[in-house]
């Protein structure tokens, strides 16, 4: 991929916010249209790998990669691609009935990555799947989606 990861893009945005002292509001966040486009592209990718019996097992903003067609760094034309299938090799040994649980976690993890793109914050202050499941089990709170976004994004 020629554009780095979603994680890098989020980090760069946070640096711009600090550098230019941008106040919270629509300009503080990524445009909703971009979030929806990346969400659709990532969901199509996850649906494709699951339909073909593959589980990623490590979806996170650092493993969602930006590709710029024609090597022009323009977010309006950027494509989001799934990457890092190393964990997938370890998950192949599980029975098919267990694979559905891992695939469900892929979908949840994608949602967490999109939440991070939307809010510029991690859903939980950990990236480890086990710790995320613990946080969910304990009912830990996470920040709401900013109010200027459409109700559909909430």
């Amino acid at each position: 991929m020629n554009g780095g990861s979603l994680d890098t893009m989020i980090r760069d945005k946070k640096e711009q916010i600090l550098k230019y002292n941008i106040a919270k509001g629509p300009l503080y966040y990524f445009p909703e249209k971009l979030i929806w486009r990346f969400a659709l592209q990532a969901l199509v990718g996850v649906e494709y790998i699951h339909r073909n019996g593959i589980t990623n097992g490590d979806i996170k903003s650092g493993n969602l990669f930006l590709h710029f067609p024609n090597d022009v760094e323009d977010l309006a034309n950027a494509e989001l691609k799934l990457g890092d299938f190393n964990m997938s090799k370890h998950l192949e040994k599980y029975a098919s009935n267990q694979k559905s649980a891992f695939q469900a976690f892929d979908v949840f993890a994608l949602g967490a990555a999109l939440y991070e793109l939307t809010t510029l914050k991690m859903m939980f202050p950990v990236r480890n799947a086990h710790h995320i499941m613990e946080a969910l089990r304990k009912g830990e709170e996470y920040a709401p989606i900013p109010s200027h976004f459409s109700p559909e994004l909430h």
Side-chain angles (χ1 to χ4, degrees), residues 108-127:
F108 172 81
L110 176 58
L114 293 170
Y115 170 88
E116 185 178 355
L117 175 64
T118 304
T119 64
L120 304 178
K121 298 176 184 172
M122 291 190 326
M123 184 175 276
F124 299 106
V126 294
R127 290 194 184 267

Side-chain angles (χ1 to χ4, degrees), residues 16 26 41 43-44 50 81 83 123-124 149-151:
Q16 286 178 355
Q41 291 172 355
L43 285 166
V44 166
H50 288 180
K81 307 282 186 178
M123 184 175 276
F124 299 106
F149 287 116
S150 70

Side-chain angles (χ1 to χ4, degrees), residues 94-102:
Y94 290 95
S96 61
N97 63 340
Q98 292 172 310
K99 272 195 171 186
S100 64
F102 291 120

